[in-house]
Amino acid sequence: MANVRNKLVQVTVILSMLIVCKQVGLLSLDSWYPQLEQSLQISNQGNENTHQENDFDVTMITERTKNIRNICQKLKDEKSEYSGINGQQTNQKIEKLFFVKEPETNTLFCLNFKVGISSWLGLFYNVSQSKEKLDEILGGGKLYKLIKHLSPSESQIMKDSTNMDVFKFMAVRNPLDRVLSAYANRFVEHSSGQYKKHITKMKKNGEEGVYYKMGELPTFSDFLQYIIDGGEDAHWKTYWSACSPCVVNYNAVIKLEDGQPAIDYVLQKSGMIKYAKMNGAQNKSSKRLDEYKKVSCELLRKIYKFYQLDFILFDFSAKTYLENINVYCEFGDIN
């Protein structure tokens, strides 16, 4: 708001000067109009940004975490509507390499790959008060190298999981959008580590003993089947197994779909906004949405089943996501 007020004062001063100068014949208003227009545009942008911040419903974040805790309780009840989910909730355990901690603000973040973690790691780097040490670790390489250095011990994560003085958050996106992003970014681009690691283990058209060769592009359907068959990687690991939301009492769970206001909320609540700012990651997978039109409903139901607990805990819909791109499949009562 202060920036907006300052700009309005500037515009008022400019107008006053123009009127005086015009009266004494020192200049033509036409020569000053572009500067005046630019000032007005800046003021309007400030008003729009303020309006957007005020429109963000923070209760959405608190309701989301409350809903997760309620579902975690129901998962323990054999009579609840979630009793048929393969007992997955009992397998939630802390894995230190999916957590990083920012000591300056006492903030614990659970990493879900393909949900903008490069941007978040960049933020943690900018907030850090020991950049020289981090630069030595990076050595000009990718930000992923920071994870091992910033990861606390599993026992510390367990202590932090219920510590009210530690701000804990995680970020998610619709699982269908995430696996599409993993395919587009990690397999369409043959140079990725994931491509080199997995491609020769991936079956062609589901045929036993027939595998892709290095340099070949797998179909999206074969990639999805590979995930279902147990092809593991952090880039498509389930949220519940990476972040253990029934173990860690998160202060905030934000979605990529929430946009910049949710990021700003986390920065403010954690205190990291005092040290650095961050812009949200762009959703590039939207350019390849037609890939889902080539996938059978049978396979889509299987991939939904694989990520079912993520859909339920974080309130995503497979059906709605697909219908938005004119793909129509039934997924049962819980989707």
Side-chain angles (χ1 to χ4, degrees), residues 17 21 56 62 122 176 194 202 290 296 300 307:
M17 292 174 62
C21 292
F56 182 63
T62 55
L176 293 182
Q194 283 64 44
M202 200 175 295
D290 282 350
S296 69
L300 288 174
Y307 288 103

Side-chain angles (χ1 to χ4, degrees), residues 68 71-73 75-76 89 92 243-248 313:
I68 291 169
I71 292 173
C72 286
Q73 287 298 317
L75 287 170
K76 301 174 184 177
Q89 77 283 359
Q92 293 190 18
C243 295
S244 306
C246 292
V247 177
V248 180
L313 281 169

Side-chain angles (χ1 to χ4, degrees), residues 163-212:
N163 187 342
M164 299 298 290
D165 293 328
V166 178
F167 183 84
K168 300 167 286 291
F169 78 101
M170 60 181 289
V172 295
R173 70 196 289 188
N174 191 300
L176 293 182
D177 203 47
R178 183 183 178 218
V179 294
L180 178 60
S181 177
Y183 172 73
N185 185 245
R186 297 288 148 179
F187 285 89
V188 174
E189 298 178 12
H190 295 176
S191 61
S192 75
Q194 283 64 44
Y195 178 88
K196 295 172 183 176
K197 178 181 178 181
H198 298 285
I199 189 61
T200 57
K201 303 174 187 177
M202 200 175 295
K203 295 177 185 177
K204 271 189 178 183
N205 302 315
E207 293 183 31
E208 199 65 43
V210 182
Y211 299 92
Y212 283 95

Side-chain angles (χ1 to χ4, degrees), residues 295-313:
V295 182
S296 69
C297 282
E298 180 184 1
L299 183 54
L300 288 174
R301 279 189 284 269
K302 288 180 181 179
I303 201 71
Y304 166 74
K305 189 69 175 177
F306 184 88
Y307 288 103
Q308 186 178 25
L309 193 52
D310 282 349
F311 279 104
I312 293 170
L313 281 169

Side-chain angles (χ1 to χ4, degrees), residues 29-40:
L29 281 177
D30 292 340
S31 63
W32 276 74
Y33 181 77
Q35 295 179 43
L36 176 60
E37 183 179 39
Q38 184 181 16
S39 296
L40 288 170

Side-chain angles (χ1 to χ4, degrees), residues 258-311:
D258 293 336
Q260 189 65 37
I263 294 172
D264 293 339
Y265 171 84
V266 165
L267 296 184
Q268 184 173 3
K269 285 295 183 180
S270 65
M272 289 190 289
I273 200 167
K274 297 177 184 176
Y275 305 95
K277 293 183 180 180
M278 170 184 154
N279 293 320
Q282 292 182 341
N283 184 2
K284 298 179 181 178
S285 63
S286 59
K287 297 178 181 179
R288 303 192 69 90
L289 284 172
D290 282 350
E291 292 289 348
Y292 274 112
K293 296 179 180 179
K294 307 171 190 175
V295 182
S296 69
C297 282
E298 180 184 1
L299 183 54
L300 288 174
R301 279 189 284 269
K302 288 180 181 179
I303 201 71
Y304 166 74
K305 189 69 175 177
F306 184 88
Y307 288 103
Q308 186 178 25
L309 193 52
D310 282 349
F311 279 104

